[in-house]
Amino acid sequence: MRPSLELARSAGFCYGVRRAVHMAESASQSGRPCVMLGSIIHNQSVIEYLEAQGVALIRSPEEAPPGADVIIRSHGEGRTVYEALRLRGCPMIDATCPNVSRIHQIVSDAEVAGRQVVIIGMPDHPEVAAIAGWCRHPAVLANARELENWLLQEPERREKPVTMVSQTTSTRQLWDSCVEKAKKLCTNSKIFDTICNATCKRQSEAQEIAARCEAMIVIGGRESSNTKRLVELCEALCPQVVWIERAAELEPSTLCRKASIGITAGASTPEWIIKEVYDKMSDEIMEIEESFAELLEKSIKTLNTGEKVTGVVTGITPTEIYVDLGTKHAGYIPVSELTDDPTVKVEDLVHVGDEIETYVMRVNDQEGVVTLSKKRLDTVKSWDDIEQAKEEHTTVEGVVTEENKGGVVVSIKGVRVFVPASQTGLPRDAAMSELLKQKVRLRITEVNRARRRVVGSIRAVAAEERAAKAAEVWANIEEGKRYNGTVKSLTSYGAFVDIGGVDGMVHISELSWSRIKHPSEVVSVGDPVEVYVISFDPEKKKISLGMKDHSQDPWSVFTGKYNVGDTANVKVVKLMTFGAFAEIVPGVDGLIHISQIADHRIDKPGDVLSEGQMVDVKITDIDFDHKKVSLSIRALLEDAQRTQSSEDEGDAVVASADGDGTQVAEDFQD
């Protein structure tokens, strides 16, 4: 039985490594002297190949020949290296992986903000050393145990603001354990997950293959950190793991009795080495189901302007999105070419690891870069969708991007749609600017692709939706039913409320238990309100609504709180010729007759009282049958006078008693 062979799709160069190697190849063909500062990737075969192309290897900036271009390796370098090369006047070709450059920016910003930088990674790894070179006093820790020990050594460290990043090739398990420890022990931490998505994908796929295969072949340099981790992960799941750098190290006969063999490779392993290993295994023990040559051809295929291509998002920055197209070219999408919608955030549209279909705008073979556009591809598709929407009378959605003479412009997936002012649905005197940056639904009324002209109507959709809602309201309306509505307008006699496509009126008397002069004292246009149906007439399309809570009967509230003879602080709400009405509790008024306003004769209530005034009164009578209350200010004044008279008489009695007592004492002495 011939063993099956499974090659990991993620094996080999990642985006950052492929970019670095291509930049070095381009530099070697430029005609200018160039050197690489340290091995640009961890693969000796690639380094030897580049040296054969004339790219010499140096170990320090001081070794750089005057005037020679210096290639910064994919692992990056610290700030001092860049400064040293500038002082020597050496032009730099920065091949630092974009994911690593992002970490440099994070730790640099953290230092400026006064935060302590913590780097989770191998201290002697060049990538980690470079990251540490962008801040003054970083803590470089290998795992969660070291992180815990470092935090507990000096208690004040737990109180300091900490920014934590990871080596891009760390394992997810190691990083998650560090994150858990940091969240538990630090009081002020900012944690950035900087593990490369390609690394995670490669490790995850290697584990999946190792779990189902009897043997694994891991290809990669002995100095490669990510290859070493692949070996460790595979050894935990597979009984036999072989780590090789080149096909010459492989002895297929040791694997021929295995029923299934998996192959993976580190990020610094070029395709041609993987092909060597794959071909050797093929020649010795198996037939290849899919020619590796075909896979390799896909990776080196050429691209043309105007072509539609599919790739995987490998990195996101504030200005561009990096896309791995599976070719020697490094693809990127400028943020301006991602979408026309100004309200959308980049992180809401794309994520690292997403597969994305794009349009090739420009190919720069010299630099190995392809400029891509998601927006232009979407625009082509959008025109088809717009024409279909016009034919099928369907509703589309877009964002208002500008105010135009006579209307507004709506962007629908990159297509500009003009909406005349009369079709915006706004009142005649409203400003078109109210719609700017708003999402709207509209109907396409005219399409002329040749002239790139599209006309739409927001009003048509709004009218249809309102009509449908109105029909639903009338079909289900009944007395007492409650609705959540919105106040649409106010009049002197009430408020009109939209209960979902239909307006009903709340009479001023139904707005509040309190006596009010105008609805604006209770509600404003635009307020959300809860109302209930008092009555309705389907033929005349009229609905009478109420807002007052009838479960709280004001008369019951009043009688539960006051009795005849009680004193109350009331509000004068209306003056009449015969007296004044005063609100005792919301919804219950009492009458202060003109004869009960003062303890002397007055011509009219307005001589003593004014509307809105708060006064103390005595409740002199309650007519429970007719729910009427009589109030008196005069009674309170007379009560006060009687009380004062009683106190004065008491004082006089005491004074008289004191005089008599003195006289008796004098008589007794005589």
Side-chain angles (χ1 to χ4, degrees), residues 185-457:
L185 297 177
C186 295
T187 59
N188 183 357
S189 61
K190 286 186 178 180
I191 299 172
F192 293 86
D193 185 350
T194 53
I195 297 178
C196 175
N197 183 68
T199 297
C200 291
K201 184 178 179 181
R202 182 183 294 103
Q203 292 175 351
S204 177
E205 188 179 11
Q207 288 177 300
E208 291 176 5
I209 295 175
R212 58 177 175 259
C213 289
E214 294 184 3
M216 281 293 294
I217 300 172
V218 182
I219 313 167
R222 299 292 175 183
E223 296 181 357
S224 170
S225 171
N226 71 83
T227 303
K228 181 180 178 181
R229 293 193 188 279
L230 285 176
V231 172
E232 293 170 349
L233 293 171
C234 290
E235 285 178 339
L237 298 167
C238 186
Q240 184 177 358
V241 178
V242 180
W243 184 0
I244 60 174
E245 291 191 28
R246 295 288 302 271
E249 302 174 25
L250 181 65
E251 181 52 58
S253 60
T254 62
L255 303 172
C256 62
R257 294 186 179 182
K258 303 297 182 182
S260 55
I261 302 170
I263 298 177
T264 188
S268 298
T269 306
E271 287 88 346
W272 58 271
I273 290 183
I274 301 174
K275 185 177 185 304
E276 275 186 352
V277 175
Y278 202 94
D279 286 348
K280 188 169 185 178
M281 292 296 297
S282 175
D283 292 342
E284 294 287 339
I285 62 173
M286 66 175 296
E287 296 178 359
I288 303 175
E289 293 183 4
E290 181 179 3
S291 170
F292 189 85
E294 293 178 7
L295 297 176
L296 187 61
E297 183 180 351
K298 292 178 184 178
S299 71
I300 60 174
K301 68 179 181 180
T302 58
L303 298 172
N304 300 301
T305 300
E307 188 176 354
K308 184 173 69 174
V309 293
T310 301
V312 176
V313 176
T314 58
I316 300 173
T317 73
T319 58
E320 56 195 21
I321 297 92
Y322 297 105
V323 180
D324 185 356
L325 300 172
T327 71
K328 65 179 182 179
H329 296 87
Y332 76 95
I333 306 172
V335 169
S336 60
E337 290 296 327
L338 187 65
T339 178
D340 261 337
D341 189 343
T343 65
V344 175
K345 296 179 180 178
V346 174
E347 55 269 25
D348 292 336
L349 291 179
V350 292
H351 305 86
V352 173
D354 286 353
E355 189 172 84
I356 188 170
E357 191 175 33
T358 62
Y359 173 91
V360 178
M361 291 175 58
R362 184 169 64 90
V363 180
N364 188 328
D365 287 320
Q366 184 174 356
E367 296 182 6
V369 174
V370 180
T371 306
L372 306 169
S373 174
K374 177 75 166 57
K375 183 172 69 175
R376 297 195 186 188
L377 183 64
D378 290 343
T379 300
V380 174
K381 293 181 177 179
S382 295
W383 274 100
D384 295 336
D385 294 341
I386 290 289
E387 290 181 334
Q388 184 177 357
K390 165 69 168 59
E391 294 299 322
E392 298 179 359
H393 302 285
T394 54
T395 300
V396 292
E397 188 175 88
V399 175
V400 179
T401 57
E402 63 183 272
E403 179 183 358
N404 206 333
K405 184 179 181 180
V408 295
V409 175
V410 179
S411 175
I412 302 178
K413 297 180 181 178
V415 177
R416 288 164 53 88
V417 179
F418 175 66
V419 179
S422 62
Q423 297 302 313
T424 60
L426 293 175
R428 185 169 299 178
D429 56 348
M432 296 293 106
S433 57
E434 291 182 16
L435 289 174
L436 287 178
K437 297 184 180 180
Q438 298 293 318
K439 275 191 176 181
V440 293
R441 291 161 54 79
L442 62 158
R443 185 67 51 79
I444 303 300
T445 57
E446 179 185 339
V447 178
N448 189 323
R449 197 160 183 170
R451 296 178 58 190
R452 303 186 68 80
R453 172 181 168 83
V454 184
V455 180
S457 172

Side-chain angles (χ1 to χ4, degrees), residues 572-583:
V572 178
V573 293
K574 191 171 186 63
L575 298 178
M576 307 295 287
T577 57
F578 53 84
F581 286 100
E583 183 183 67

Side-chain angles (χ1 to χ4, degrees), residues 473-474 477-483 497 499 502-507 510 531-547 550:
V473 169
W474 284 112
I477 195 169
E478 57 186 33
E479 291 184 5
K481 188 170 184 178
R482 291 186 170 273
Y483 291 93
V497 177
I499 58 174
V502 178
D503 288 351
M505 193 193 76
V506 184
H507 192 268
E510 289 295 332
V531 295
Y532 56 89
V533 178
I534 296 176
S535 63
F536 61 94
D537 187 337
E539 293 183 2
K540 295 182 179 180
K541 301 296 182 184
K542 290 184 177 181
I543 303 174
S544 177
L545 303 171
M547 274 180 57
H550 284 274

